[in-house]
Amino acid sequence: MFVTRFNNRLRTGIIIMILLMIINLVNILFNSPLVPIQQWAQKIFYYHVPCAWVAFLSFFIVLIAGIMFLKTKNYKYDRLGLAAAELGTFFTVLVLITGPIWASAIWGKAWTWEPRLTTTFVLFLIYSGYFMLREFGGAPERVARYAAILGIIAFIDVPIIFISVRFWSPEVQSHPQVEMALQPTGIMTTFFFSLFTFTMLYFLMLWIRTGILSLKVKNQ
Amino acid sequence: MEYNFFNHFIFTYLIVLIALIGWFSMMFIKGKRLIRPNKSKTGS
Protein backbone atom coordinates (compact mmCIF):
# COMPACT_ATOMS: atom_id res chain seq x y z
CA MET A 1 0.00 0.00 0.00
CA PHE A 2 2.75 2.44 1.08
CA VAL A 3 4.91 1.33 -1.83
CA THR A 4 2.06 1.69 -4.37
CA ARG A 5 1.19 5.19 -3.15
CA PHE A 6 4.89 6.12 -3.15
CA ASN A 7 5.26 4.71 -6.68
CA ASN A 8 2.26 6.67 -8.01
CA ARG A 9 3.55 9.94 -6.57
CA LEU A 10 7.04 9.13 -7.80
CA ARG A 11 5.80 8.49 -11.34
CA THR A 12 3.89 11.80 -11.37
CA GLY A 13 6.91 13.64 -9.97
CA ILE A 14 9.29 12.17 -12.55
CA ILE A 15 6.91 12.92 -15.47
CA ILE A 16 6.51 16.56 -14.33
CA MET A 17 10.29 16.81 -13.91
CA ILE A 18 11.02 15.45 -17.41
CA LEU A 19 8.54 17.98 -18.88
CA LEU A 20 10.16 20.84 -16.93
CA MET A 21 13.64 19.77 -18.08
CA ILE A 22 12.49 19.64 -21.74
CA ILE A 23 10.85 23.11 -21.46
CA ASN A 24 14.04 24.37 -19.81
CA LEU A 25 16.22 23.01 -22.63
CA VAL A 26 13.93 24.50 -25.32
CA ASN A 27 14.06 27.85 -23.46
CA ILE A 28 17.86 27.75 -23.29
CA LEU A 29 18.29 26.70 -26.94
CA PHE A 30 15.70 28.92 -28.62
CA ASN A 31 14.27 31.52 -26.21
CA SER A 32 17.41 33.13 -24.83
CA PRO A 33 19.63 35.53 -26.77
CA LEU A 34 23.22 34.74 -27.70
CA VAL A 35 25.57 37.04 -25.81
CA PRO A 36 28.34 38.70 -27.88
CA ILE A 37 31.86 37.22 -27.49
CA GLN A 38 30.76 34.32 -25.22
CA GLN A 39 28.11 33.04 -27.67
CA TRP A 40 27.03 29.47 -26.75
CA ALA A 41 29.50 29.26 -23.88
CA GLN A 42 27.34 31.71 -21.92
CA LYS A 43 24.46 29.21 -22.06
CA ILE A 44 26.51 26.80 -19.92
CA PHE A 45 25.54 29.10 -17.04
CA TYR A 46 21.90 28.03 -17.27
CA TYR A 47 23.11 24.67 -15.94
CA HIS A 48 26.22 25.67 -13.98
CA VAL A 49 24.65 28.33 -11.71
CA PRO A 50 21.46 26.34 -10.83
CA CYS A 51 23.69 23.35 -9.94
CA ALA A 52 25.68 25.63 -7.60
CA TRP A 53 22.46 27.03 -6.12
CA VAL A 54 20.98 23.61 -5.31
CA ALA A 55 24.33 22.44 -3.91
CA PHE A 56 24.36 25.39 -1.48
CA LEU A 57 20.68 24.86 -0.65
CA SER A 58 21.48 21.22 0.04
CA PHE A 59 24.32 22.08 2.42
CA PHE A 60 21.98 24.50 4.19
CA ILE A 61 19.56 21.60 4.68
CA VAL A 62 22.48 19.53 6.09
CA LEU A 63 23.08 22.37 8.57
CA ILE A 64 19.40 22.54 9.64
CA ALA A 65 19.13 18.71 9.81
CA GLY A 66 22.31 18.62 11.94
CA ILE A 67 20.95 21.18 14.41
CA MET A 68 17.59 19.39 14.58
CA PHE A 69 19.28 16.01 15.12
CA LEU A 70 21.44 17.30 17.97
CA LYS A 71 18.36 18.89 19.52
CA THR A 72 15.85 16.03 19.16
CA LYS A 73 18.03 12.89 18.62
CA ASN A 74 15.46 11.88 16.01
CA TYR A 75 17.12 9.74 13.32
CA LYS A 76 14.83 11.05 10.60
CA TYR A 77 16.95 14.25 10.68
CA ASP A 78 20.10 12.15 10.44
CA ARG A 79 18.74 10.50 7.28
CA LEU A 80 17.70 13.90 5.90
CA GLY A 81 21.21 15.24 6.60
CA LEU A 82 22.84 12.26 4.86
CA ALA A 83 20.54 12.52 1.82
CA ALA A 84 21.13 16.28 1.54
CA ALA A 85 24.91 15.87 1.94
CA GLU A 86 24.95 13.27 -0.87
CA LEU A 87 22.93 15.48 -3.19
CA GLY A 88 24.96 18.57 -2.29
CA THR A 89 28.17 16.74 -3.17
CA PHE A 90 26.59 15.38 -6.38
CA PHE A 91 25.72 18.92 -7.53
CA THR A 92 29.09 20.30 -6.35
CA VAL A 93 30.81 17.74 -8.60
CA LEU A 94 28.61 18.92 -11.50
CA VAL A 95 29.61 22.53 -10.70
CA LEU A 96 33.30 21.54 -10.66
CA ILE A 97 32.91 19.81 -14.04
CA THR A 98 30.71 22.33 -15.89
CA GLY A 99 32.70 25.35 -14.61
CA PRO A 100 36.01 24.31 -16.24
CA ILE A 101 34.17 23.59 -19.55
CA TRP A 102 33.06 27.25 -19.60
CA ALA A 103 36.47 28.43 -18.34
CA SER A 104 38.37 26.51 -21.04
CA ALA A 105 36.28 28.34 -23.66
CA ILE A 106 36.40 31.84 -22.14
CA TRP A 107 39.55 32.03 -19.97
CA GLY A 108 41.54 29.72 -22.24
CA LYS A 109 42.36 27.37 -19.35
CA ALA A 110 40.13 25.00 -17.42
CA TRP A 111 41.31 25.82 -13.90
CA THR A 112 42.97 28.65 -12.01
CA TRP A 113 43.55 28.70 -8.27
CA GLU A 114 41.41 31.80 -7.77
CA PRO A 115 39.32 32.24 -4.57
CA ARG A 116 35.90 30.99 -5.69
CA LEU A 117 37.20 27.89 -7.46
CA THR A 118 39.52 27.04 -4.60
CA THR A 119 36.86 27.48 -1.88
CA THR A 120 34.38 25.38 -3.92
CA PHE A 121 37.01 22.66 -4.24
CA VAL A 122 37.63 22.89 -0.48
CA LEU A 123 33.87 22.40 0.08
CA PHE A 124 34.02 19.25 -2.03
CA LEU A 125 36.99 17.98 0.02
CA ILE A 126 35.20 18.72 3.32
CA TYR A 127 32.20 16.67 2.22
CA SER A 128 34.46 13.87 1.00
CA GLY A 129 35.68 13.81 4.61
CA TYR A 130 32.04 13.79 5.76
CA PHE A 131 31.37 10.56 3.82
CA MET A 132 34.56 8.97 5.14
CA LEU A 133 33.31 9.74 8.64
CA ARG A 134 29.92 8.21 7.78
CA GLU A 135 31.60 5.08 6.43
CA PHE A 136 34.39 4.52 8.95
CA GLY A 137 33.25 6.44 12.04
CA GLY A 138 32.34 3.39 14.14
CA ALA A 139 29.15 3.14 16.23
CA PRO A 140 26.06 4.47 14.34
CA GLU A 141 24.95 6.77 17.22
CA ARG A 142 28.39 8.35 17.43
CA VAL A 143 28.66 8.66 13.62
CA ALA A 144 25.27 10.40 13.46
CA ARG A 145 26.32 12.89 16.17
CA TYR A 146 29.74 13.62 14.63
CA ALA A 147 28.24 13.88 11.13
CA ALA A 148 25.68 16.42 12.41
CA ILE A 149 28.47 18.51 13.97
CA LEU A 150 30.65 18.26 10.83
CA GLY A 151 27.64 19.24 8.67
CA ILE A 152 27.15 22.37 10.80
CA ILE A 153 30.85 23.34 10.71
CA ALA A 154 31.20 22.57 6.97
CA PHE A 155 28.49 25.09 6.12
CA ILE A 156 30.87 27.92 7.10
CA ASP A 157 32.53 27.45 3.69
CA VAL A 158 29.29 28.20 1.76
CA PRO A 159 29.03 31.95 2.63
CA ILE A 160 32.82 32.19 2.06
CA ILE A 161 32.31 30.89 -1.52
CA PHE A 162 29.44 33.32 -1.99
CA ILE A 163 31.33 36.41 -0.85
CA SER A 164 34.75 35.28 -2.18
CA VAL A 165 34.33 37.51 -5.26
CA ARG A 166 34.19 40.63 -3.05
CA PHE A 167 36.21 39.30 -0.11
CA TRP A 168 39.54 38.84 -1.93
CA SER A 169 41.19 41.64 -3.91
CA PRO A 170 39.99 42.10 -7.54
CA GLU A 171 43.44 41.27 -8.97
CA VAL A 172 43.12 37.60 -7.95
CA GLN A 173 39.53 37.22 -9.25
CA SER A 174 38.42 35.90 -12.60
CA HIS A 175 34.76 35.31 -11.75
CA PRO A 176 31.74 37.10 -13.16
CA GLN A 177 28.94 37.69 -10.67
CA VAL A 178 28.07 41.30 -10.03
CA GLU A 179 27.22 42.00 -13.70
CA MET A 180 24.57 39.24 -13.66
CA ALA A 181 21.84 41.69 -12.56
CA LEU A 182 22.54 43.89 -15.60
CA GLN A 183 21.73 41.18 -18.17
CA PRO A 184 18.85 41.65 -20.66
CA THR A 185 15.35 40.30 -19.80
CA GLY A 186 15.54 37.29 -22.16
CA ILE A 187 18.51 35.96 -20.24
CA MET A 188 17.07 36.55 -16.76
CA THR A 189 13.69 34.87 -17.54
CA THR A 190 15.42 31.74 -18.86
CA PHE A 191 17.89 31.82 -15.98
CA PHE A 192 15.16 32.00 -13.31
CA PHE A 193 13.16 29.25 -15.02
CA SER A 194 16.28 27.06 -15.00
CA LEU A 195 16.81 27.89 -11.33
CA PHE A 196 13.19 26.92 -10.58
CA THR A 197 13.50 23.64 -12.57
CA PHE A 198 16.67 22.62 -10.73
CA THR A 199 15.16 23.50 -7.34
CA MET A 200 12.14 21.29 -8.12
CA LEU A 201 14.46 18.55 -9.38
CA TYR A 202 16.49 18.81 -6.18
CA PHE A 203 13.43 18.43 -3.91
CA LEU A 204 12.25 15.41 -5.96
CA MET A 205 15.71 13.82 -5.59
CA LEU A 206 15.80 14.59 -1.86
CA TRP A 207 12.37 13.05 -1.41
CA ILE A 208 13.41 9.88 -3.28
CA ARG A 209 16.71 9.56 -1.36
CA THR A 210 15.16 10.07 2.09
CA GLY A 211 12.38 7.62 1.11
CA ILE A 212 14.98 4.96 0.21
CA LEU A 213 16.98 5.58 3.41
CA SER A 214 13.77 5.23 5.49
CA LEU A 215 12.86 2.03 3.62
CA LYS A 216 16.34 0.66 4.37
CA VAL A 217 15.86 1.32 8.12
CA LYS A 218 12.38 -0.29 8.00
CA ASN A 219 13.79 -3.43 6.36
CA GLN A 220 16.59 -3.84 8.93
CA MET B 1 35.56 36.25 -36.15
CA GLU B 2 33.86 35.11 -32.94
CA TYR B 3 34.34 31.46 -32.10
CA ASN B 4 31.19 29.36 -31.77
CA PHE B 5 31.20 27.42 -28.49
CA PHE B 6 28.20 25.22 -29.30
CA ASN B 7 30.17 22.02 -28.59
CA HIS B 8 31.04 23.27 -25.09
CA PHE B 9 27.36 23.82 -24.35
CA ILE B 10 26.26 20.41 -25.70
CA PHE B 11 29.07 18.73 -23.75
CA THR B 12 27.89 20.44 -20.53
CA TYR B 13 24.28 19.46 -21.22
CA LEU B 14 25.21 15.82 -21.86
CA ILE B 15 27.28 15.62 -18.66
CA VAL B 16 24.38 16.96 -16.55
CA LEU B 17 21.91 14.65 -18.33
CA ILE B 18 24.08 11.52 -17.97
CA ALA B 19 24.77 12.29 -14.28
CA LEU B 20 21.03 12.67 -13.58
CA ILE B 21 20.10 9.51 -15.52
CA GLY B 22 22.84 7.67 -13.61
CA TRP B 23 21.57 8.91 -10.25
CA PHE B 24 17.95 8.01 -10.97
CA SER B 25 18.93 4.55 -12.28
CA MET B 26 20.97 3.93 -9.14
CA MET B 27 18.04 4.94 -6.92
CA PHE B 28 15.68 2.77 -8.98
CA ILE B 29 17.93 -0.28 -8.48
CA LYS B 30 18.39 0.46 -4.74
CA GLY B 31 14.64 0.98 -4.29
CA LYS B 32 13.78 -2.24 -6.11
CA ARG B 33 16.20 -4.23 -3.94
CA LEU B 34 14.62 -2.81 -0.78
CA ILE B 35 11.01 -3.36 -1.90
CA ARG B 36 11.53 -7.00 -2.97
CA PRO B 37 11.74 -8.50 0.58
CA ASN B 38 8.35 -6.93 1.41
CA LYS B 39 6.77 -8.58 -1.62
CA SER B 40 8.01 -12.05 -0.60
CA LYS B 41 6.50 -11.58 2.89
CA THR B 42 2.98 -11.16 1.42
CA GLY B 43 3.53 -14.11 -0.89
CA SER B 44 3.06 -12.13 -4.12
Side-chain angles (χ1 to χ4, degrees):
Chain A
M1 182 69 181
F2 167 76
V3 172
T4 321
R5 211 168 37 198
F6 184 79
N7 272 349
N8 285 341
R9 284 184 193 167
L10 182 65
R11 203 168 298 138
T12 318
I14 288 176
I15 289 169
I16 292 172
M17 216 49 255
I18 290 172
L19 285 177
L20 276 175
M21 290 300 270
I22 292 170
I23 296 169
N24 190 31
L25 179 65
V26 171
N27 254 345
I28 293 168
L29 287 176
F30 306 110
N31 293 340
S32 64
L34 276 179
V35 173
I37 304 166
Q38 293 206 17
Q39 297 278 334
W40 280 93
Q42 185 271 336
K43 291 187 188 238
I44 290 172
F45 274 77
Y46 297 120
Y47 287 106
H48 176 73
V49 181
C51 280
W53 152 248
V54 287
F56 295 160
L57 175 70
S58 203
F59 293 137
F60 181 68
I61 291 175
V62 177
L63 166 83
I64 300 296
I67 294 169
M68 290 308 289
F69 176 76
L70 291 177
K71 225 174 164 183
T72 62
K73 298 284 174 221
N74 188 337
Y75 277 85
K76 102 179 161 187
Y77 293 115
D78 178 53
R79 291 195 293 274
L80 176 67
L82 174 61
E86 280 180 14
L87 288 175
T89 312
F90 173 81
F91 282 106
T92 305
V93 170
L94 282 182
V95 170
L96 288 173
I97 294 171
T98 56
I101 297 174
W102 174 84
S104 65
I106 301 303
W107 295 344
K109 52 185 172 183
W111 188 270
T112 56
W113 291 100
E114 62 114 43
R116 184 165 274 181
L117 295 184
T118 311
T119 46
T120 310
F121 185 61
V122 166
L123 186 73
F124 169 73
L125 291 180
I126 292 171
Y127 274 91
S128 303
Y130 177 94
F131 293 115
M132 282 184 199
L133 173 73
R134 284 272 183 189
E135 198 63 33
F136 309 112
E141 300 80 31
R142 198 175 55 189
V143 167
R145 203 171 58 242
Y146 287 171
I149 295 166
L150 182 58
I152 295 167
I153 297 168
F155 188 77
I156 296 170
D157 195 29
V158 174
I160 293 175
I161 295 170
F162 204 73
I163 59 163
S164 61
V165 172
R166 291 155 201 257
F167 194 66
W168 274 273
S169 61
E171 303 88 66
V172 292
Q173 307 287 346
S174 356
H175 246 87
Q177 185 203 24
V178 190
E179 317 88 73
M180 198 65 191
L182 305 170
Q183 302 293 343
T185 348
I187 285 179
M188 289 318 273
T189 318
T190 312
F191 173 70
F192 282 120
F193 186 78
S194 192
L195 217 57
F196 168 76
T197 307
F198 270 81
T199 312
M200 290 296 111
L201 173 73
Y202 169 72
F203 281 113
L204 176 73
M205 289 167 85
L206 187 67
W207 178 60
I208 292 172
R209 190 65 188 120
T210 43
I212 285 176
L213 286 172
S214 305
L215 212 62
K216 205 172 168 184
V217 172
K218 243 185 217 175
N219 280 7
Q220 274 168 0
Chain B
M1 196 189 88
E2 282 175 342
Y3 187 76
N4 190 334
F5 293 115
F6 188 68
N7 288 346
H8 287 73
F9 170 73
I10 288 299
F11 196 42
T12 305
Y13 173 71
L14 286 177
I15 285 172
V16 174
L17 188 72
I18 290 165
L20 287 173
I21 290 172
W23 190 88
F24 276 95
S25 316
M26 206 170 76
M27 289 304 120
F28 180 74
I29 293 164
K30 275 193 177 184
K32 267 237 149 138
R33 270 188 201 156
L34 288 168
I35 289 165
R36 211 173 283 152
N38 284 354
K39 275 188 176 174
S40 63
K41 268 181 206 165
T42 56
S44 57

